[in-house]
Amino acid sequence: MRYIPTSAVAVEKLKQAAKKAKRKYKIPHSDALDRVARGEGYDHWHHVTLCARETERLASQPSLVGECQRAVDAAIAGRSISIVTGPEILADGPLILFSTVDGDAWLLEPNERICTCLAWHGTPRKFGISDAGQQLLIHWGGSYELHGNFFSVSMDDDEIGARMIGGYPLPELRKAIEKSLSFDAALNDIFGGRGGVDLTDEVIADLVRQGWAEKELLAARSDGAIYSPARNSLLYPAFGNVP
């Protein structure tokens, strides 16, 4: 049977309509309930009770729309928060939400690196998310990567577009993404170099300040390696000269 959102108020209205139908057509109460239920698109009255029970269950659980609103509210208030959803919202895997002190809020899918902006510079944005019933539909507005100290996005809309954004809580985001990756996506990060940054002179200089050996980094660059901020390690090509 298909799911129809059914509130307690809707059930009460159907019961009142069934009482009127019982008197009007002089039929048993159970028949009147079934008659009214079918008139509203249900299969029978038991279908109504099942849908009402499911609606109540869903209302008692966190919803993705509710979590998105929580991130938006935090962004507007200038608070930085991060949320990793559980299986009660999406059984296929977690999603990541975060807000920043600058008034931005985002929803991220960690495996496909797709995203949607929930708030931008303190202004809430329309986000295409529907989690009514047993289906979760998300309109993803673009893609993202974490490059060094920058959150890199390529969005469909002209206001944000493609840009590198600094000042986001990237250490926390990297930890959340790494914990949320599927096995296949994690392998792709390791062997495909996803999320890595080129060993430019600036990156090497920064790593040397952190205690890395410059000679090792220069040799790694010659071998085609890149640096993974998420793992604080060097990633070599599949057939490169790994030390």
Side-chain angles (χ1 to χ4, degrees), residues 84 94 96 108-111 113 144 146 170-183 185-187 189-190 228-233:
V84 179
I96 299 169
L108 312 179
E109 202 288 331
N111 293 300
R113 294 293 205 274
Y144 74 95
L146 306 187
L170 295 194
E172 293 83 356
L173 279 181
R174 285 194 172 96
K175 290 179 182 178
I177 290 172
E178 188 169 359
K179 291 180 180 179
S180 303
L181 287 177
S182 67
F183 180 74
L187 283 181
D189 267 16
I190 295 172
S228 170
R231 293 171 174 77
N232 191 31
S233 62

Side-chain angles (χ1 to χ4, degrees), residues 154-228:
S154 179
M155 303 298 291
D156 296 337
D157 67 279
D158 295 332
E159 183 180 5
I160 300 177
R163 65 174 70 200
M164 304 277 280
I165 307 171
Y168 279 8
L170 295 194
E172 293 83 356
L173 279 181
R174 285 194 172 96
K175 290 179 182 178
I177 290 172
E178 188 169 359
K179 291 180 180 179
S180 303
L181 287 177
S182 67
F183 180 74
D184 289 342
L187 283 181
N188 185 47
D189 267 16
I190 295 172
F191 296 108
R194 191 180 196 180
V197 294
D198 292 333
L199 287 170
T200 63
D201 291 341
E202 292 78 9
V203 170
I204 288 177
D206 185 56
L207 291 175
V208 169
R209 284 193 293 271
Q210 297 178 36
W212 286 70
E214 183 177 12
K215 183 178 180 180
E216 176 190 354
L217 294 170
L218 291 173
R221 181 167 66 181
S222 298
D223 290 335
I226 60 176
Y227 173 67
S228 170

Side-chain angles (χ1 to χ4, degrees):
M1 288 182 289
R2 69 194 183 286
Y3 168 74
I4 302 173
T6 307
S7 66
V9 173
V11 172
E12 186 59 33
K13 287 182 178 179
L14 290 174
K15 287 181 178 179
Q16 294 301 321
K19 289 181 180 179
K20 293 179 181 179
K22 176 184 177 181
R23 291 193 297 268
K24 180 177 181 180
Y25 299 107
K26 296 180 172 41
I27 56 177
H29 184 61
S30 59
D31 291 348
L33 288 171
D34 286 338
R35 183 188 185 105
V36 169
R38 286 192 292 269
E40 294 298 323
Y42 298 89
D43 296 338
H44 39 65
W45 183 254
H46 184 55
H47 187 193
V48 174
T49 61
L50 290 176
C51 289
R53 195 178 306 156
E54 179 67 5
T55 300
E56 184 179 1
R57 184 188 70 81
L58 292 172
S60 67
Q61 294 183 347
S63 69
L64 182 57
V65 171
E67 296 290 68
C68 287
Q69 190 59 53
R70 186 152 71 98
V72 170
D73 292 343
I76 294 174
R79 292 186 292 108
S80 176
I81 67 170
S82 62
I83 304 167
V84 179
T85 65
E88 71 279 0
I89 288 181
L90 184 63
D92 293 341
L95 300 173
I96 299 169
L97 303 95
F98 74 95
S99 66
T100 73
V101 295
D102 296 324
D104 298 345
W106 294 83
L107 170 65
L108 312 179
E109 202 288 331
N111 293 300
E112 299 298 326
R113 294 293 205 274
I114 48 181
C115 61
T116 191
C117 184
L118 307 174
W120 182 246
H121 296 352
T123 301
R125 295 168 60 87
K126 290 183 179 180
F127 46 88
I129 299 174
S130 173
D131 59 0
Q134 296 174 322
Q135 288 187 329
L136 177 61
L137 303 175
I138 304 173
H139 172 71
W140 297 104
S143 60
Y144 74 95
E145 291 287 351
L146 306 187
H147 289 306
N149 295 322
F150 293 93
F151 183 77
S152 174
V153 295
S154 179
M155 303 298 291
D156 296 337
D157 67 279
D158 295 332
E159 183 180 5
I160 300 177
R163 65 174 70 200
M164 304 277 280
I165 307 171
Y168 279 8
L170 295 194
E172 293 83 356
L173 279 181
R174 285 194 172 96
K175 290 179 182 178
I177 290 172
E178 188 169 359
K179 291 180 180 179
S180 303
L181 287 177
S182 67
F183 180 74
D184 289 342
L187 283 181
N188 185 47
D189 267 16
I190 295 172
F191 296 108
R194 191 180 196 180
V197 294
D198 292 333
L199 287 170
T200 63
D201 291 341
E202 292 78 9
V203 170
I204 288 177
D206 185 56
L207 291 175
V208 169
R209 284 193 293 271
Q210 297 178 36
W212 286 70
E214 183 177 12
K215 183 178 180 180
E216 176 190 354
L217 294 170
L218 291 173
R221 181 167 66 181
S222 298
D223 290 335
I226 60 176
Y227 173 67
S228 170
R231 293 171 174 77
N232 191 31
S233 62
L234 299 174
L235 303 179
Y236 287 80
F239 300 100
N241 298 320
V242 182

